[in-house]
Amino acid sequence: MQPKTWLAGLAVVATLAVPVFAAAQQAGGTLKLYHRGNPPSGSIHEEATYSTTMPYQSVFNNLVVFNSQKDVESIENIVPDLATSWSWDSTKTKLTFKLREGVKWHDGKPFTAKDVQCTFDLLQGKSKAKLRKNPRKSWYWNLQKVTADNDYQATMHLGQPQPAMLALLASGYTPIYPCHVSPKTMRTNPIGTGPFKFVELKQNESIKFVKNEDYWKPGRPYLDGHDWTIIKSRATRVLGFIAKEFDFTFANDISIPLLKDVNEKYSEAVCHTAPTNISLNLIVNREKPPFDNADVRLAMATALDRDAFIKILFQGEGQKGGAMLPPPSGTWGMPDNVLAKAAGYGDKAVDVKKAQDLMKKAGYGPDNRLAVKVSTRNIATYRDPAVILIDQLKSIYIDGELEPIETSNWHAKVARKDYSVGMNLTGIAVDDPDVTFFENYACGSQRNYTGYCNKELQELFMKQSSMIDQEARKKLVWEIDAKLQLDVARPMIAHYNAATCHAPKVKGFVRKKNGSYSDWRFEDIWLQQ
Amino acid sequence: MASYVIRRTLLMALTLIGISIVIFGLLRLVPGNIADILFDAAGFIDPAEKAALEDELGLSDPIPVQYWNWIWGLLQGDLGFSYVTELPAYDEIAPRIPITAKLAVLALFFSVLFGLPLGVISAVNQNSALDYVLRVVSLSGLSLPSFWLALLILMGFVHWFDTIPIYTDPPDNLWDELVLYSIPAAAVGFRSSALIMRLTRSSMLEVMRQDYIRTAKAKGATDNSVNYGHALSNAVLPVVTIIGIEAAFLIGGLIVTETVFNIPGVARFLVEAIQWRDYPIVQNLVLFIGFVTVVTNFLVDILYVALDPRIKYE
């Protein structure tokens, strides 16, 4: 090699090396974030909201987690956490975890397999201690028991094979709780094994977490802590972020219209826009006439102009889809050719004509219009789409009247079936059919608001859950999703995007593109000094 | 005077009992309770779990029993537990009261500091250019919604100074505290000062038409002596009444300001507690606010005696 070439090569290496060294993780500093309101409690197992999972996830570990540096939540991206490895038995109904040794709870007590057993006993209502609320009971329909084989090995015994059990365990909603701490203490002063220790929650003011110096993962976390300022007013908190008072926004707090403002006024901010895996959907009381008539329900689903919803509400940043998050972000959503067969996803003029015919068949028409109350929570994110819905229903002889319901009464009203038509939002914790189907469509599930129960589909839910071949499973999932849409179980209107932003000095954060409930361990995040 | 004080004290006690019954009853009339809200946050309702939670919190007891439990606890100094944080209600309420009190006092200070002298200046310069300017300013103070004004202030700070004057951490010392609270206090005090200014102006104009003012002027008293010595001391009575009312009103008026400036005071806390149906917090706080209001009114009435020797209470 000639000296010139050699030198040139060295220069290239040196140039490439600079960013590598510059990007080396730096320890220290406290991440400053804002929170949108008081979390209902610090106990992740009792809540179903970002308000709890986002700040408190860093207190805990799971058995397994989604790789924080990959942007997709899927079974392939699951890595060990408190478990060092896992294995299925030959029947695929016993899932055994080898557990990490030497891990301590934040109060100094050792973590053992008993804690794993206790956690799932608590979730299944088998333990003496009881949760006040158990929103994800339906996730464990197939879990028969968990046994502590010895101090560092636990086995989950399933009723039938369920590969997706690992995805449920990797969710931010599935931390391992300590046996020796009561559910009440977990709500107010949670103890975990995670990278950060809970310090205090001051209502309406702040939440503080400090680094767990005894964390089992070498070199983590990088941060000394993370401090949250609770700011109820969205205008104030976004202005606070723009004024660089905070390093990180709350999850998905920056709506698409707001994102333009943030980009304009704080151009260096790094904003991750991605699907929230929250969908707008219609709930129809199928027990209440005339909605006990399948034609009326189908007419409503067929008449929906989903593009208009997406354009008006999300400035085009949304996707049409079924129950599962649509591709390319979603792993399980129906492709366009399958989706097109569902009610209301074809040519709009043709669909409206079809819907009008269905309404006429049910006895309604221009001279005999159906008056109906469209109930929804009295919050802008619910109310606005309800108003658009009312407008669209006019074209099929339905005169809707908005019935705004105070938040505290919304679920009670829905549970009583004291509504005809409702506008609803559904957040999905993990992009997997085992979560979506069993939580929202299975017979008897607490979060199946419409009480939809189709025994044939229930069988298919269980069948897809047990399938080992994930490609074959996907095809069955599409089939089920298409049937759910045709059956008007809970007609989907749109899945929508939102942004989470942070200061440029925040490094190591990867936003998942198919879920936003499991990103918040903060152990890989560091601040560039 | 002594008998008047005793009578008023008894009346205050009765008023507080009335307030306790009204707030207790109204809270139970509002649809939904903490169990509904907690389950709503979790996205479902399990009737059995909800009933167990209501039992645990005593919400399934008969209403009179719930009322008696509250009052009996109160008489023993036990305010109960917050349903949301599960911490003693006293520990939740007590640290927030000084924050709102400081903000309210500062706001009141600003409103009197500006409202009173500007009202006098406006009155003595009636129908002059200065009077018109001050009247326009006071009108804008009354008509600008405080949340809007507060947001404009925040946006101005972010735009011009690249900072935002909101509460993120407790202030370290008195000076920091003064700096932190003075901007929201000025925002909320603007409205009150406008009210005080207008009232001072009209009251001064009325007094300045009185014979004794004319007499003072005829005797050669200076303008300052007439305006501030004779007129203001007589015009100030209705202003003092309004200041008393404003002091009580500020607790309510501070809700928006505390929200926009993110100040963890008692006003915003009360609204949050109502939204969560956190009965122990709401009941005790409203009773406390009621107590402050009746005591303030009582003190204002007593102040009349000091300000106007003609007033005597039998």
Side-chain angles (χ1 to χ4, degrees):
Chain A
M1 186 186 282
Q2 289 186 356
K4 270 188 181 175
T5 317
W6 186 83
L7 280 172
L10 192 67
V12 169
V13 170
T15 314
L16 289 174
V18 169
V20 172
F21 288 128
Q25 290 88 339
Q26 295 166 343
T30 298
L31 188 70
K32 292 178 79 179
L33 310 94
Y34 67 71
H35 196 291
R36 64 182 176 180
N38 290 309
S41 82
S43 178
I44 290 176
H45 281 307
E46 298 203 32
E47 310 300 345
T49 166
Y50 293 132
S51 294
T52 293
T53 52
M54 192 182 175
Y56 287 95
Q57 220 169 84
S58 66
V59 173
F60 299 101
N61 286 115
N62 294 14
L63 286 172
V64 292
V65 284
F66 293 113
N67 187 334
S68 71
Q69 299 306 297
K70 304 268 186 183
D71 67 355
V72 177
E73 289 177 1
S74 66
I75 295 175
E76 298 78 48
N77 286 339
I78 289 173
V79 292
D81 204 25
L82 283 175
T84 53
S85 63
W86 60 90
S87 59
W88 292 94
D89 75 339
S90 58
T91 65
K92 304 282 184 195
T93 58
K94 288 189 181 64
L95 178 56
T96 300
F97 295 95
K98 297 253 186 245
L99 304 178
R100 206 170 289 280
E101 296 184 30
V103 175
K104 285 190 174 155
W105 295 101
H106 293 162
D107 58 6
K109 296 210 164 60
F111 157 77
T112 68
K114 275 277 172 210
D115 295 306
V116 178
Q117 187 183 20
C118 280
T119 300
F120 290 95
D121 283 353
L122 188 67
L123 288 169
Q124 292 191 292
K126 292 178 184 170
S127 58
K128 200 175 162 194
K130 299 285 177 209
L131 295 171
R132 266 183 172 182
K133 297 170 285 170
N134 191 357
R136 284 169 294 281
K137 205 187 278 177
S138 61
W139 283 18
Y140 305 106
W141 61 274
N142 187 34
L143 179 63
Q144 291 177 334
K145 62 178 177 180
V146 175
T147 52
D149 308 331
N150 59 48
D151 273 359
Y152 298 106
Q153 182 173 303
T155 299
M156 297 189 123
H157 302 258
L158 308 178
Q160 65 169 46
Q162 188 185 5
M165 176 56 81
L166 277 172
L168 306 189
L169 298 179
S171 160
Y173 276 122
T174 320
I176 299 300
Y177 273 19
C179 267
H180 62 279
V181 181
S182 70
K184 179 178 175 175
T185 306
M186 293 302 283
R187 288 194 292 271
T188 54
N189 193 11
I191 302 284
T193 55
F196 293 92
K197 291 181 179 182
F198 170 75
V199 180
E200 63 170 354
L201 160 69
K202 285 188 187 169
Q203 277 249 76
N204 272 345
E205 198 172 336
S206 62
I207 320 171
K208 289 189 193 303
F209 301 86
V210 291
K211 177 179 185 170
N212 174 10
E213 298 290 353
D214 296 326
Y215 192 44
W216 53 266
K217 197 181 277 189
R220 304 291 164 82
Y222 298 114
L223 298 168
D224 293 334
H226 49 105
D227 286 359
W228 301 69
T229 301
I230 298 171
I231 307 181
K232 197 76 190 282
S233 159
R234 186 187 262 198
T236 304
R237 60 192 190 232
V238 174
L239 278 171
F241 177 70
I242 291 170
K244 304 178 183 67
E245 190 69 44
F246 305 106
D247 305 319
F248 222 105
T249 67
F250 193 76
N252 297 326
D253 199 43
I254 309 297
S255 62
I256 302 303
L258 263 181
L259 183 61
K260 286 181 181 160
D261 279 352
V262 172
N263 284 336
E264 197 177 293
K265 296 191 173 84
Y266 185 7
S267 55
E268 314 92 78
V270 181
C271 291
H272 307 261
T273 307
T276 54
N277 212 350
I278 297 173
S279 62
L280 274 181
N281 50 73
L282 202 60
I283 52 174
V284 183
N285 188 346
R286 51 181 56 225
E287 290 167 17
K288 199 169 183 177
F291 301 102
D292 54 346
N293 182 339
D295 285 338
V296 176
R297 296 198 302 267
L298 188 60
M300 289 174 74
T302 307
L304 291 172
D305 183 355
R306 291 164 173 88
D307 289 320
F309 279 95
I310 292 170
K311 191 175 168 192
I312 297 167
L313 295 171
F314 314 116
Q315 300 191 351
E317 287 277 354
Q319 303 87 32
K320 288 192 284 185
M324 301 304 303
L325 183 68
S329 300
T331 312
W332 302 95
M334 291 181 277
D336 287 346
N337 60 328
V338 180
L339 185 65
K341 292 174 194 159
Y345 289 87
D347 180 85
K348 209 63 258 161
V350 175
D351 279 343
V352 170
K353 177 76 180 62
K354 270 189 212 166
Q356 286 173 340
D357 291 344
L358 285 165
M359 288 299 287
K360 282 176 185 161
K361 193 175 151 199
Y364 297 97
D367 304 323
N368 182 26
R369 299 176 70 85
L370 170 62
V372 64
K373 280 192 174 161
V374 176
S375 312
T376 198
R377 276 184 202 228
N378 196 8
I379 303 175
T381 47
Y382 284 70
R383 226 171 29 228
D384 295 351
V387 170
I388 298 172
L389 173 72
I390 288 170
D391 182 57
Q392 293 189 0
L393 291 179
K394 280 180 190 160
S395 65
I396 56 164
Y397 322 122
I398 297 179
D399 291 328
E401 181 194 341
L402 184 68
E403 186 188 28
I405 309 294
E406 208 208 344
T407 277
S408 59
N409 299 318
W410 171 242
H411 278 111
K413 188 177 174 75
V414 171
R416 288 197 306 270
K417 298 265 173 17
D418 178 20
Y419 70 99
S420 300
V421 175
M423 176 58 71
N424 185 53
L425 263 73
T426 302
I428 300 294
V430 184
D431 183 24
D432 190 279
D434 276 16
V435 171
T436 308
F437 293 161
F438 286 97
E439 215 175 276
N440 300 316
Y441 300 97
C443 303
S445 165
Q446 289 169 326
R447 300 187 75 178
N448 179 357
Y449 304 135
T450 59
Y452 172 79
C453 180
N454 182 327
K455 299 284 182 200
E456 184 198 332
L457 279 185
Q458 187 84 11
E459 291 295 321
L460 292 179
F461 294 165
M462 292 171 74
K463 186 178 172 192
Q464 66 77 29
S465 177
S466 68
M467 291 169 77
I468 308 295
D469 179 346
Q470 296 298 293
E471 277 309 307
R473 182 185 177 211
K474 193 181 273 187
K475 294 213 167 58
L476 180 57
V477 167
W478 293 346
E479 192 187 316
I480 294 171
D481 202 349
K483 280 187 182 168
L484 285 171
Q485 303 313 312
L486 272 174
D487 221 2
V488 197
R490 192 189 288 198
M492 284 295 144
I493 296 173
H495 297 259
Y496 64 89
N497 298 358
T500 306
C501 299
H502 58 75
K505 69 175 179 181
V506 177
K507 306 289 179 188
F509 174 70
V510 177
R511 168 79 164 84
K512 304 282 191 293
K513 59 186 186 187
N514 63 337
S516 43
Y517 290 94
S518 306
D519 290 340
W520 312 113
R521 185 70 74 69
F522 295 115
E523 66 182 17
D524 294 315
I525 287 180
W526 55 280
L527 296 174
Q528 193 166 41
Q529 306 297 331
Chain B
M1 182 74 173
S3 66
Y4 173 77
V5 170
I6 292 167
R7 251 193 350 262
R8 280 294 299 262
T9 308
L10 286 173
L11 204 61
M12 281 196 296
L14 276 176
T15 308
L16 289 174
I17 290 170
I19 290 172
S20 74
I21 293 170
V22 169
I23 184 61
F24 186 90
L26 282 178
L27 270 177
R28 266 71 186 174
L29 282 178
V30 175
N33 61 24
I34 180 72
D36 291 313
I37 309 235
L38 287 175
F39 276 97
D40 190 82
F44 76 106
I45 284 193
D46 180 311
E49 286 176 2
K50 186 178 164 226
L53 180 56
E54 286 174 339
D55 283 347
E56 183 191 323
L57 299 175
L59 295 171
S60 44
D61 291 341
I63 297 290
V65 174
Q66 290 183 43
Y67 179 75
W68 173 246
N69 287 342
W70 170 42
I71 295 298
W72 182 240
L74 208 57
L75 292 173
Q76 295 173 310
D78 176 10
L79 274 58
F81 280 76
S82 161
Y83 291 161
V84 179
T85 60
E86 302 180 60
L87 296 172
Y90 177 82
D91 293 350
E92 290 288 347
I93 295 171
R96 292 178 165 84
I97 290 174
I99 294 174
T100 298
K102 285 173 196 166
L103 192 59
V105 167
L106 205 56
L108 210 58
F109 172 75
F110 279 138
S111 54
V112 176
L113 184 72
F114 294 108
L116 212 59
L118 291 179
V120 175
I121 291 168
S122 188
V124 298
N125 295 289
Q126 193 191 4
N127 296 333
S128 67
L130 182 62
D131 181 31
Y132 286 124
V133 169
L134 289 174
R135 282 159 71 183
V136 168
V137 170
S138 70
L139 259 181
S140 66
L142 288 175
S143 35
L144 283 180
S146 54
F147 74 90
W148 190 69
L149 179 64
L151 273 176
L152 279 186
I153 291 171
L154 289 188
M155 288 163 86
F157 266 85
V158 173
H159 186 76
W160 285 300
F161 308 117
D162 215 14
T163 185
I164 186 164
I166 58 170
Y167 186 107
T168 52
D169 292 302
D172 294 328
N173 51 53
L174 194 65
W175 173 250
D176 285 354
E177 206 166 13
L178 196 67
V179 171
L180 180 71
Y181 294 147
S182 54
I183 294 164
V188 77
F190 184 42
R191 196 203 71 89
S192 302
S193 69
L195 188 69
I196 289 170
M197 192 204 127
R198 291 183 72 79
L199 197 76
T200 306
R201 182 182 179 277
S202 59
S203 188
M204 280 286 286
L205 287 176
E206 197 180 321
V207 169
M208 284 168 79
R209 289 188 198 105
Q210 301 294 317
D211 290 345
Y212 63 88
I213 296 291
R214 207 176 302 123
T215 308
K217 281 183 178 168
K219 284 170 75 179
T222 61
D223 281 352
N224 278 349
S225 165
V226 171
N227 295 338
Y228 296 101
H230 297 280
L232 182 60
S233 58
N234 286 292
V236 85
L237 269 186
V239 179
V240 168
T241 310
I242 281 295
I243 292 171
I245 293 168
E246 277 294 291
F249 177 79
L250 267 176
I251 299 289
L254 285 175
I255 291 166
V256 170
T257 310
E258 285 187 354
T259 303
V260 176
F261 287 94
N262 202 44
I263 294 166
V266 82
R268 181 159 70 104
F269 185 55
L270 176 60
V271 174
E272 288 267 311
I274 292 168
Q275 285 169 351
W276 284 92
R277 307 288 192 274
D278 197 346
Y279 295 160
I281 300 289
V282 180
Q283 288 163 185
N284 290 307
L285 250 179
V286 171
L287 199 61
F288 175 74
I289 293 168
F291 176 77
V292 170
T293 308
V294 293
V295 168
T296 309
N297 282 331
F298 175 63
L299 291 177
V300 166
D301 287 350
I302 297 295
L303 198 61
Y304 284 159
V305 181
L307 291 172
D308 189 344
R310 291 170 300 179
I311 296 174
K312 283 195 170 47
Y313 295 126
E314 295 296 325

